[in-house]
Amino acid sequence: MLPGLAHAQIALGDIQLDVVSDGSLNLPGGFIFDPMPQTELLPILKDLGQSADVLTPPCNVTLMRHGDRVVLFDVGSGPDFTPTAGDLLASLEALTVTPDDVTDVVFTHAHPDHLWGLLDDFGDPLFTRASYMIGQAEWDYWINPNTVDEIGEARASFAVGAKRRLEMIEDGTTFFNDGDEILPGVAARASFGHTPGHMAFEVRRGGEAVMILGDCIGNDHIAFARPEWHSGSDQDPETAAATRLSLMDQLSHEKTRVIGYHLTGNGVGYVDKTSAGYAFVKEG
């Protein structure tokens, strides 16, 4: 691999998953922490070694290869969102994968760091041979012309950018709902709250599974330590908290391996139940 391009590989029978880096984000701590009880929050962050002021989460994109399919789960930020991200093409190149090789693109949700990599430097679709898949509820939300006025000023640019990009791929897009098998061995899992139609994906072969989380568990510190707390990064904080709690319970009980888009390192690990809450156990 090229320096700095996080990489992990998981084999599930004849399915190969690679986790590649789109870079990272640089966010103010308040983006997540502002709604939380500060007197309880700060000691937890200190114990976990996480700054309350700055967040620098990685952006981990999952590539799946199965038979003649080359599938991307989300496409990163592209050139227009933040200078610290947009590394996906270089990461794919290190695996000798080009945009023309990609047969399918599956979206967890339509926030900029997951969707805006859809276009190249000239504003044209990058994955010219791919078919696209997105949850029906997520599509309906972002394509709605009223969303830009209802989402709030801080996220208005998200709505404008999402609608423009999704309209460009509408003819090549199919929609799915909770529980649908969208590809052989891949089932959609409703994980609403971070966005109205956010989806995770369970990739399964036999008795072994990996859950591609997207942002329904959005960080490796406070989301695990206090999953019930509302996060400023979630569009519907109450629903997102309920989603986290349900998923944490399932994933820790079943010992399912996870890939988290913003979880530390390459995002691969397990959810462990602790006496106080949960913890992310990084693999590798």
Side-chain angles (χ1 to χ4, degrees), residues 28-240:
F31 179 71
I32 286 177
F33 301 138
D34 275 356
M36 299 178 180
Q38 300 297 303
T39 55
E40 297 177 60
L41 169 71
L42 295 177
I44 295 171
L45 294 180
K46 184 177 180 181
D47 288 345
L48 295 173
Q50 169 60 46
S51 166
D53 301 316
V54 179
L55 294 157
T56 56
C59 298
N60 301 308
V61 175
T62 302
L63 172 75
M64 184 180 89
R65 287 178 278 190
H66 182 212
D68 59 358
R69 288 187 184 271
V70 178
V71 184
L72 280 175
F73 292 87
D74 296 328
V75 292
S77 297
D80 297 328
F81 183 53
T82 177
T84 57
D87 296 340
L88 178 61
L89 293 186
S91 297
L92 292 175
E93 184 181 358
L95 295 176
T96 66
V97 174
T98 71
D100 285 346
D101 294 328
V102 176
T103 60
D104 304 89
V105 173
V106 181
F107 294 107
T108 61
H109 64 299
H111 276 168
D113 53 323
H114 298 254
L115 173 70
W116 285 19
L118 193 63
L119 306 182
D120 63 18
D121 292 345
F122 302 100
D124 297 318
L126 181 61
F127 304 98
T128 55
R129 299 183 180 179
S131 298
Y132 301 94
M133 287 176 268
I134 190 170
Q136 184 71 65
E138 187 73 358
W139 173 273
D140 290 346
Y141 176 76
W142 294 104
I143 211 71
N144 186 338
N146 296 324
T147 295
V148 68
D149 297 318
E150 298 169 352
I151 197 172
E153 184 178 353
R155 288 185 168 99
S157 64
F158 292 12
V160 172
K163 188 172 186 293
R164 181 169 76 87
R165 287 164 175 81
L166 293 175
E167 286 175 339
M168 294 180 74
I169 60 169
E170 184 168 7
D171 290 344
T173 300
T174 57
F175 310 106
F176 54 83
N177 294 292
D178 182 32
D180 289 351
E181 185 177 44
I182 63 168
L183 294 166
V186 182
R189 169 71 182 271
S191 43
F192 302 161
H194 182 68
T195 61
H198 188 288
M199 288 283 185
F201 302 96
E202 183 183 77
V203 184
R204 180 173 292 276
R205 267 294 180 261
E208 191 176 4
V210 173
M211 188 75 78
I212 299 170
L213 295 172
D215 284 5
C216 58
I217 302 176
N219 60 74
D220 55 277
H221 38 81
I222 205 68
F224 284 83
R226 294 294 185 272
E228 73 276 11
W229 283 1
H230 290 185
S231 170
S233 67
D234 296 326
Q235 291 185 221
D236 181 346
E238 186 171 350
T239 299

